[in-house]
Amino acid sequence: MALLTAASAQAQKAPVKVVEIKFGKPEPADFDAKSFVADSAAPAVVLYDYGATRFRLNGSSFQLESDRVTRIKILKKSGYNVATVEVPLYHRDRSEEKLVGLRGFTYNEVGGKVEKVKLEIAKAFTEERTKNIRVRKFTLPNVREGAIIEYAYTVTSDFLFNFQDWSFQREIPTRWSEFQAVIPEYFDYKMLMQGYEPLVLQTREDSQMQYNLHTEASLDPGAAGGRVASDNELIVAKGTSYHWAMQNVPALRDEPYMTTMRDYVARINFELAGERMPGQGYHNVAGNWEKINMDLLSNDEFGGQLGHVGFLEAALKPLAAQYPDPAARAAAVRELVLKSVKYDGTNGYSASGPLKRSYELHRGTAADVNLLLIAALRQAGLAVEPVILSTRGHGRVNQNFPLLEQFNYVVGLLPLADNQELLLDATEPLLPCGVLPTRCLNQTGRLVTKGVAGRWVNLAPAQRHSHYQDIKLTLDEQGNLTGKVHEEHGGYSGAAAREKLQQLGEKKYVSELASQHPSWEFPTYAFGEVGEVTKPLALNYELRQPASSSGKASELYISPLASFGEGRNPFSHAERTYPVDFGASSLDVITLTLTLPPGYTAELPKPATIALPAQGGRYVYMASSPTPGTVQLTSRLTLDKPIYGAEEYASLREFYRLALAKQAEALVIKKGS
């Protein structure tokens, strides 16, 4: 990511030729299938996407005016959905953004001629999406495989803070994406370039701008400086023109270990930071983290809730005496909240109503549950402060943009001795105290505290994904395997396994495990530590695997570790332009002891150690024969970082390839002479 400021770049020549189209006249080459051989796997391709935002005077106030022109080639039926377009429009009080000038066409080549069908504007409709957002939706007609669709519209807005962001990338490839912005000197916008694709065009040019004022009334402070103007006065102001473009942008793929796609898409975001009016100096309108801190604490749905849990006093009072240790007392209070209020799956940082109501209903949002937890912990004598954060599905927080809209969750923070801190959440009964849910593992949160400015809080967990398997197998002369397996899931793996067990039940859980290995039989099984969330979830089971052929064999080939490892490399693509985000570090250990048939010996594979650069992780494979007639194999895979950058992807992919190849290495077992 890069923050673009007024001083970040000077005007420069475009390194590539700017693509231009004539609306209503598609290019003949775009109907030729040979033009899309490189994109044949894609359901559709964006041929051209152009946007431009400028300011104009509407009466005595400035208004934003944003144009868009888009042309897309449909390659497959699975790409028909791109013919339905959604345009979000913000509204507040009596003001609303408006979509004007909508037009569109669908083109199909029929019998060597281009058939053109016009978009029926009357069929467009509006959907209320949120309190302040309504979406205007329309669908291009007569869409088929090979069709070209194009549409254009303008959005007018009185909300200068809602400058239209621009995405250069989509879930389908984009041949050309271009955006222009013309901003008068009166307005200061922060510009954040996000994503992992390069710009082919980036220019900035200062120029003179003219605005025609059609009123005799005084200008608004947000317009041209608060001075009285005569009818039809021509206002000349300095301004800056920006121009960005990307070419041949690949589709944004949904790959393993990502947060939300919004975190990775190539785009530019705008935030109104201030206004610079003649004779008035600079006025900061963006706010700052200190103001957000104060606003939250004074908000009735946030800070105002934290002192209203007198209804819990009787239940909390004994805990202070019973648990003098702060961490133990916090765990006891959390247990009380867990048993009292169930999380309903809705995220947020503001309470949906009085906390007493959620307590009486025994159900509430994440904010209801965790604000109740914070208030109860304070009532129990613990100095807990709230921390707001953004869940993985909501997107990463940009610390350069002080916007409350970036957050959608709240947890508690309890200071402990020796500068230690305990992060507290009461939405997940399957997690121990002090461990945040996986959804919260999103790098950083913001402490909200009284009297001083808040600060950033590292959300990287001490817990990790932990999986341990101890396997004892016996091989007979026919190649049949029998034995016992002790398996443990700890940390975040333990929480995930317990949730799965809770959803499926023991029988279906084991059946699903067996289905991954069609030749396996599980005569008996037993779970342990199911309710002890501070301990790993245990599973003990007997295992039988019949030989693939009957009769005694003088030579056997088996790969016992391959059945218990990950199986396949999760990173199938040769390249990745964005990080791999596991959320937490991980440890996967397999210890396998194999008893050979009498009179047989095994050729032991060579040991191996594979290390990731910069101490990012390690894989260790060992093979030994601790006693005659036995083989012991050990596989230990450790990933020491929760996040690996795009520049580390090739090493991580190769690391997995080598580790899985070693796990799949066959033991050669021969009968002695």
Side-chain angles (χ1 to χ4, degrees), residues 340-637:
S340 303
V341 186
K342 184 179 179 181
Y343 168 53
D344 66 5
T346 305
N347 296 329
Y349 58 80
S350 296
S352 63
L355 297 182
K356 186 176 182 180
R357 185 187 69 179
S358 298
Y359 181 77
E360 291 172 344
L361 292 173
H362 306 295
R363 190 174 181 84
T365 67
D368 296 330
V369 173
N370 285 334
L371 289 175
L372 177 64
L373 172 66
I374 295 167
L377 289 164
R378 289 181 173 184
Q379 185 82 22
L382 297 173
V384 177
E385 301 287 358
V387 173
I388 53 174
L389 59 88
S390 175
T391 60
R392 291 170 68 85
H394 188 253
R396 289 195 299 262
V397 172
N398 188 319
Q399 298 182 19
N400 293 311
F401 278 17
L403 295 172
L404 197 52
E405 290 80 4
Q406 294 191 88
F407 301 91
N408 72 327
Y409 207 87
V410 60
V411 298
L413 183 146
L414 173 64
L416 299 175
D418 301 322
N419 293 320
Q420 298 298 305
E421 295 174 341
L422 195 65
L423 290 169
L424 299 162
D425 177 278
T427 63
E428 298 293 342
L430 299 179
L431 286 172
C433 184
V435 179
L436 294 182
T438 303
R439 76 179 83 91
C440 297
L441 304 183
N442 204 15
Q443 300 188 34
T444 189
R446 183 80 187 178
L447 184 71
V448 182
T449 183
K450 200 171 187 178
V452 296
R455 61 176 173 85
W456 295 105
V457 176
N458 184 6
L459 301 178
Q463 290 274 356
R464 59 185 175 184
H465 302 277
S466 178
H467 188 202
Y468 171 74
Q469 297 174 86
D470 183 26
I471 305 147
K472 292 179 171 55
L473 300 177
T474 299
L475 180 70
D476 66 16
E477 294 177 330
Q478 287 77 30
N480 298 300
L481 282 168
T482 57
K484 295 181 179 181
V485 178
H486 174 73
E487 182 176 19
E488 293 183 359
H489 288 277
Y492 284 104
S493 293
R498 282 187 172 90
E499 183 177 5
K500 184 176 179 180
L501 179 61
Q502 193 175 76
Q503 291 173 350
L504 299 179
E506 290 188 1
K507 187 175 180 179
K508 286 186 177 180
Y509 183 103
V510 175
S511 295
E512 187 173 302
L513 177 62
S515 69
Q516 299 170 20
H517 310 279
S519 61
W520 284 13
E521 299 173 10
F522 287 25
T524 63
Y525 63 85
F527 287 88
E529 310 294 359
V530 175
E532 294 292 331
V533 297
T534 58
K535 298 179 181 179
L537 174 70
L539 171 60
N540 295 291
Y541 59 91
E542 291 185 37
L543 169 64
R544 287 203 296 257
Q545 183 180 13
S548 56
S549 60
S550 58
K552 296 181 180 180
S554 60
E555 194 168 276
L556 298 168
Y557 296 86
I558 64 169
S559 302
L561 281 183
S563 298
F564 297 93
E566 184 149 358
R568 65 177 184 175
N569 195 331
F571 307 112
S572 57
H573 295 289
E575 295 181 352
R576 179 160 165 162
T577 57
Y578 33 87
V580 176
D581 191 333
F582 293 101
S585 60
S586 64
L587 173 65
D588 197 326
V589 179
I590 307 171
T591 301
L592 187 147
T593 303
L594 177 66
T595 300
L596 305 178
Y600 284 73
T601 59
E603 294 181 6
L604 297 180
K606 293 181 180 180
T609 299
I610 307 163
L612 281 168
Q615 299 182 335
R618 179 179 292 267
Y619 177 73
V620 177
Y621 176 94
M622 294 183 293
S624 64
S625 180
T627 59
T630 63
V631 172
Q632 189 172 79
L633 305 176
T634 301
S635 169
R636 183 184 181 92
L637 192 153

Side-chain angles (χ1 to χ4, degrees), residues 150 156 172 215 232 294 423 517 534 572 601 640 660:
E150 68 176 357
T156 61
I172 57 176
T215 180
N232 292 323
M294 292 187 294
L423 290 169
H517 310 279
T534 58
S572 57
T601 59
D640 292 320
L660 294 177

Side-chain angles (χ1 to χ4, degrees), residues 648-661:
E648 300 174 282
Y649 176 74
S651 298
L652 188 63
R653 182 171 182 257
E654 180 67 4
F655 175 80
Y656 264 87
R657 187 189 72 79
L658 294 173
L660 294 177

